[in-house]
Amino acid sequence: MRVSVEVNGSAETVDEVWEGESLLYMLRERMGLPGSKNACEQGECGSCTVYLDGVPVCSCLVAAGQAHGRSVRTVEGLATASDTAERLDPMQQAFVEAGAVQCGFCTPGLIVQAHDLIEHNPRPSDAEIREALAGNLCRCTGYEKILDAVRLAARRKAEAR
């Protein structure tokens, strides 16, 4: 099957997609976008979270064919490029600065989910941050630095307004 999809703002076509293929597999293996991670393949860990038509989804649970004619934004698509360099999204930058990245496996999904949170709630409480990230599992950080990163990004976003 042929899947035509907008990925990170670019129209893409992927040929020979098999019926049971996940969006995650298509993004990573066929399109060369390794940011979203393949961990549980059951929608339990959140490491594969991407935006599908502006809504965060576990890409391991979405059939690639379901993305046909739709828009996907991955963690790679949060950064912006200019003629001279790539600029990280404020959430990506906050994760780096707060030391919220350890092994990095959960990081892409956490960043996408946290990005979505502050887009809809620019001043989240700690409880709201915890609730928003409840579907994203991390085995390394103990979550405090992740919370610090989300707070930092939210504060910067609020100050920029």
Side-chain angles (χ1 to χ4, degrees), residues 67 120 139:
H120 294 95
R139 296 182 66 170

Side-chain angles (χ1 to χ4, degrees), residues 74-140:
T74 68
V75 69
E76 293 96 338
L78 297 180
T80 56
S82 70
D83 291 338
T84 57
E86 183 175 68
R87 192 179 92 232
L88 294 178
D89 177 83
M91 186 61 71
Q92 293 169 316
Q93 188 63 42
F95 265 69
V96 171
E97 290 177 21
V101 178
Q102 287 193 15
C103 83
F105 214 77
C106 66
T107 306
L110 282 163
I111 288 173
V112 171
Q113 193 65 48
H115 179 272
D116 186 65
L117 168 65
I118 67 168
E119 286 297 307
H120 294 95
N121 181 359
R123 298 178 197 269
S125 67
D126 282 0
E128 290 168 325
I129 295 170
R130 289 176 191 278
E131 177 67 25
L133 300 182
N136 296 78
L137 303 178
C138 176
R139 296 182 66 170
C140 300

Side-chain angles (χ1 to χ4, degrees), residues 47-96:
S47 65
C48 66
T49 303
V50 300
Y51 284 109
L52 181 61
D53 290 338
V55 177
V57 299
C58 291
S59 60
C60 71
L61 297 179
V62 176
Q66 289 178 289
H68 182 75
R70 298 173 77 182
S71 173
V72 174
R73 189 173 182 198
T74 68
V75 69
E76 293 96 338
L78 297 180
T80 56
S82 70
D83 291 338
T84 57
E86 183 175 68
R87 192 179 92 232
L88 294 178
D89 177 83
M91 186 61 71
Q92 293 169 316
Q93 188 63 42
F95 265 69
V96 171

Side-chain angles (χ1 to χ4, degrees), residues 4-5 48 63-64 76 104 135 161:
S4 296
V5 61
C48 66
E76 293 96 338
R161 288 186 171 181

Side-chain angles (χ1 to χ4, degrees), residues 1-5 12-17 26 30-31:
M1 134 181 32
R2 172 177 278 181
V3 175
S4 296
V5 61
E12 304 287 342
T13 300
V14 182
D15 290 320
E16 298 181 26
V17 174
M26 185 177 82
R30 295 183 182 270
M31 301 182 79

Side-chain angles (χ1 to χ4, degrees), residues 9-26:
S10 297
E12 304 287 342
T13 300
V14 182
D15 290 320
E16 298 181 26
V17 174
W18 50 278
E19 284 183 29
E21 188 170 313
S22 70
L23 175 58
L24 174 63
Y25 185 89
M26 185 177 82

